[in-house]
């Protein structure tokens, strides 16, 4: 039985190495939230989008050409300090160059913080030196909340938030927190684009326990799919 399992795993790995790169590369390395990785995977599967995953060691080992074989890198939520400390210092520069050459980037919560300039935590600095602070709820001792994000010419959406950043100082503002600070922002980076989100539109219903949402989880997840599509196609979203 053990031999059969080893052979099966070996076969899967060989097929993975020889297969063409999927459009989406999802980072699931040390420090990422397993629950958020699973939420994004389920959304990609629902939308019929093929994806590969990369742990910390794999992302460190990928060349710029291997990164460029994908169209979009998604970095999910989690502890950005742990994420960064478990990546090599050279990985951020490699990702930055790949994005400048056309790779799309979608950073959600911790993934948005990883996109900023944070040299102590091997951040990717896709923001040209801009650093982000946390949304004001953190200063009030709130770490999980339902927040209504405002969008241009659209009804607000109640979104799941958990220790996410506000994105002042970079890019075009796609959505705003109730205090007016940017909740979602996007911007061109060379030939590539990045979309950064301080909230979790991909959050499943199970994350909402104990909180009140006027927006159904299905509607929020449809909006998450819109962000993924825009990042994949490198198209601009409506912004303020």
């Amino acid at each position: 039985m053990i031999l059969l399992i080893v052979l099966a795993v070996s076969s899967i790995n060989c097929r993975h190495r020889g297969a063409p790169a999927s459009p989406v590369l999802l980072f699931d390395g040390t420090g990422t939230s397993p629950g958020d990785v699973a939420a994004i995977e389920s959304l990609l599967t629902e939308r019929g989008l093929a994806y590969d995953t990369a742990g910390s060691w794999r992302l460190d080992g990928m060349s710029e050409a291997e990164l460029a074989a994908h169209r979009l890198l998604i970095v999910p939520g989690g502890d950005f300090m742990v994420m960064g400390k478990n990546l090599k210092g050279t990985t951020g520069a490699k990702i930055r160059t790949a994005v400048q050459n056309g790779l799309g980037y979608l950073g959600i919560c911790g993934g948005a913080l990883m996109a900023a300039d944070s040299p102590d935590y091997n951040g990717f600095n896709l923001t040209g030196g801009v650093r982000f602070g946390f949304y004001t709820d953190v200063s009030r001792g709130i770490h999980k909340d339902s927040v209504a994000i405002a969008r241009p010419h659209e009804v607000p959406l109640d979104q799941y938030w958990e220790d996410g950043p506000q994105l002042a100082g970079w890019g075009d503002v796609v959505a705003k927190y109730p205090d007016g600070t940017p909740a979602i922002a996007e911007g061109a980076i060379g030939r590539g684009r990045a979309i950064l989100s301080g909230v979790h539109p991909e959050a499943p219903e199970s994350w909402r326990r104990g909180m009140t949402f006027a927006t159904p989880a299905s509607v929020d997840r449809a909006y998450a799919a819109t962000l993924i599509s825009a990042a994949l196609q490198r198209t601009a979203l409506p912004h303020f």
Side-chain angles (χ1 to χ4, degrees), residues 38-240:
I40 294 169
E41 285 185 309
S42 68
L43 190 59
L44 293 171
T45 300
E46 288 171 11
R47 301 290 164 161
L49 291 172
Y51 66 94
D52 293 330
T53 57
S56 303
W57 65 270
R58 186 181 175 213
L59 197 62
D60 278 340
M62 292 180 75
S63 66
E64 289 177 19
E66 288 172 320
L67 284 168
H70 303 276
R71 294 176 60 189
L72 173 64
L73 171 63
I74 300 178
V75 180
D79 188 328
F80 83 99
M81 294 181 286
V82 176
M83 287 190 218
K85 285 184 174 181
N86 282 275
L87 291 171
K88 293 180 180 178
T90 55
T91 297
K94 184 171 54 181
I95 289 172
R96 187 164 59 252
T97 298
V99 173
Q100 289 169 341
N101 288 333
L103 178 68
Y105 182 94
L106 174 60
I108 300 173
C109 197
L113 288 165
M114 279 299 297
D117 179 29
S118 53
D120 292 340
Y121 305 108
N122 295 326
F124 304 150
N125 194 18
L126 303 180
T127 59
V130 174
R131 302 182 184 186
F132 301 131
F134 290 97
Y135 175 52
T136 188
D137 271 9
V138 171
S139 65
R140 294 186 290 160
I142 300 170
H143 299 284
K144 295 181 182 180
D145 204 358
S146 167
V147 297
I149 63 163
R151 301 173 295 157
H153 316 300
E154 298 282 352
V155 297
L157 295 175
D158 283 357
Q159 302 262 295
Y160 179 87
W161 169 88
E162 184 173 352
D163 284 337
Q166 56 84 13
L167 307 166
W170 177 82
D172 295 317
V173 179
V174 173
K176 295 179 180 180
Y177 287 113
D179 68 355
T181 56
I184 302 174
E186 68 173 1
I189 301 167
R191 297 201 302 273
R193 291 190 72 81
I195 297 177
L196 308 180
S197 177
V199 292
H200 287 277
E202 77 287 356
E205 186 69 43
S206 60
W207 292 17
R208 295 176 164 218
R209 295 189 187 100
M211 290 175 275
T212 301
F213 290 79
T215 307
S218 59
V219 173
D220 280 346
R221 282 172 63 82
Y223 184 61
T226 297
L227 298 183
I228 291 172
S229 178
L232 189 60
Q233 302 299 329
R234 306 179 190 96
T235 54
L237 291 160
H239 53 81
F240 290 97

